[in-house]
Amino acid sequence: MQLHYPAPFNSSNNPHLGDCNADPYLQYPYDCCGPNDRWTYPCRGYMSLLGTPQGAPTATWQAGSTQAWSIGGIGNHYGGSCQVGFSVDKGQTFQVATTYEGNCPHRNLGSDPSGQTFPFTVPADLPPGTQVFAWIWYNREQELNMNCAAVDITPAAAANPPGGEGGGYHGSPAARAVSSSSSGSGAVGYYDRPEMLVADDGNGCLTPHTTAELKYPAPGPEVVVGDGAYPLQLPYGTCGRVGEQAYRGQTGEDGH
């Protein structure tokens, strides 16, 4: 699976791809496929596109509004757990927007983006301008995938209270209800949120294998709980900075 909307850096559905070749491995997990079976953290090494024509925003979202992101590709692995968040410092840190504990992707809704859409609330105080949206997925096979997209953030509406719904998202009532049932993320400032969990990338921090889905130790203020098909378990191992950037690899072309 890979991020479908907003269209991530170097994806085949990115309208700003230009003469570049789309990355055919965006839907595959870390250490699986492609040159040297590796990719560079964060954002598969595509942060360098930010600020270039190929890295132009693929969505415009208002701070404080309810939006929706979607994923698609081959094989939803019958679920897992996901986080989405933002970076406002060109990929140095990624703060959590929403955590989905279990049933992410939706295990019974196939692999098409039409069945894999997830509502969330953009942090109300997210700085305006071009920021980086990130999606990280952990399946039940101790695998990590991460895609990133540039998005244009516009200022929050003056009348939009923290945690309220601004304009912009016009998804289904069911999807809106899911977002409304989660704790109000807008009440917690962007800089007060935990960083997105990084595990299963050779850093010694491992997620549950086979029999459970990931429970995040630092999920942030907005948590969407899955369908309960599998129990939720915390990561284990060398996870001293779980909830923050736990990456311990060396820098280089292959991410190690």
Side-chain angles (χ1 to χ4, degrees):
M1 301 292 282
Q2 71 176 68
L3 185 64
H4 177 78
Y5 176 81
F9 297 128
N10 220 31
S11 68
S12 59
N13 70 325
N14 190 313
H16 310 299
L17 190 62
D19 295 332
C20 298
N21 293 322
D23 187 340
Y25 301 107
L26 290 181
Q27 61 187 319
Y28 296 101
Y30 169 92
D31 200 19
C32 166
C33 313
N36 301 317
D37 291 336
R38 304 281 186 176
W39 52 265
T40 304
Y41 175 86
C43 303
R44 307 188 78 109
Y46 291 127
M47 282 301 306
S48 60
L49 293 178
L50 189 66
T52 72
Q54 290 78 21
T58 54
T60 298
W61 293 337
Q62 184 181 54
S65 67
T66 301
Q67 300 293 336
W69 55 273
S70 63
I71 49 179
I74 59 173
N76 67 23
H77 287 258
Y78 204 59
S81 294
C82 306
Q83 281 187 322
V84 293
F86 294 89
S87 175
V88 300
D89 55 13
K90 300 181 179 180
Q92 296 183 53
T93 58
F94 291 86
Q95 259 70 30
V96 175
T98 302
T99 292
Y100 305 81
E101 294 187 329
N103 199 32
C104 182
H106 298 305
R107 66 183 91 257
N108 295 315
L109 295 180
S111 298
D112 188 84
S114 62
Q116 298 292 347
T117 297
F118 298 80
F120 81 108
T121 301
V122 180
D125 63 339
L126 191 66
T130 299
Q131 311 297 3
V132 177
F133 175 79
W135 163 76
I136 299 180
W137 170 37
Y138 297 97
N139 58 29
R140 291 179 295 104
E141 299 175 28
Q142 294 182 330
E143 292 177 331
L144 153 74
N145 195 10
M146 180 183 193
N147 294 156
C148 301
V151 296
D152 185 36
I153 301 299
T154 61
N160 189 32
E165 295 179 3
Y169 176 59
H170 304 286
S172 68
R176 187 178 294 275
V178 170
S179 180
S180 298
S181 67
S182 57
S183 55
S185 66
V188 177
Y190 172 79
Y191 293 104
D192 293 327
R193 295 160 183 257
E195 292 187 49
M196 298 173 72
L197 174 67
V198 181
D200 296 335
D201 71 343
N203 63 354
C205 185
L206 299 172
T207 60
H209 187 247
T210 305
T211 59
E213 291 176 309
L214 176 64
K215 179 176 179 62
Y216 291 83
E222 181 170 313
V223 180
V224 178
V225 179
D227 57 6
Y230 290 90
L232 298 176
Q233 292 182 4
L234 292 167
Y236 62 94
T238 309
C239 300
R241 293 185 64 198
V242 291
E244 300 180 2
Q245 300 298 1
Y247 184 64
R248 293 292 182 271
Q250 302 297 316
T251 58
E253 290 184 358
D254 63 358
H256 279 256

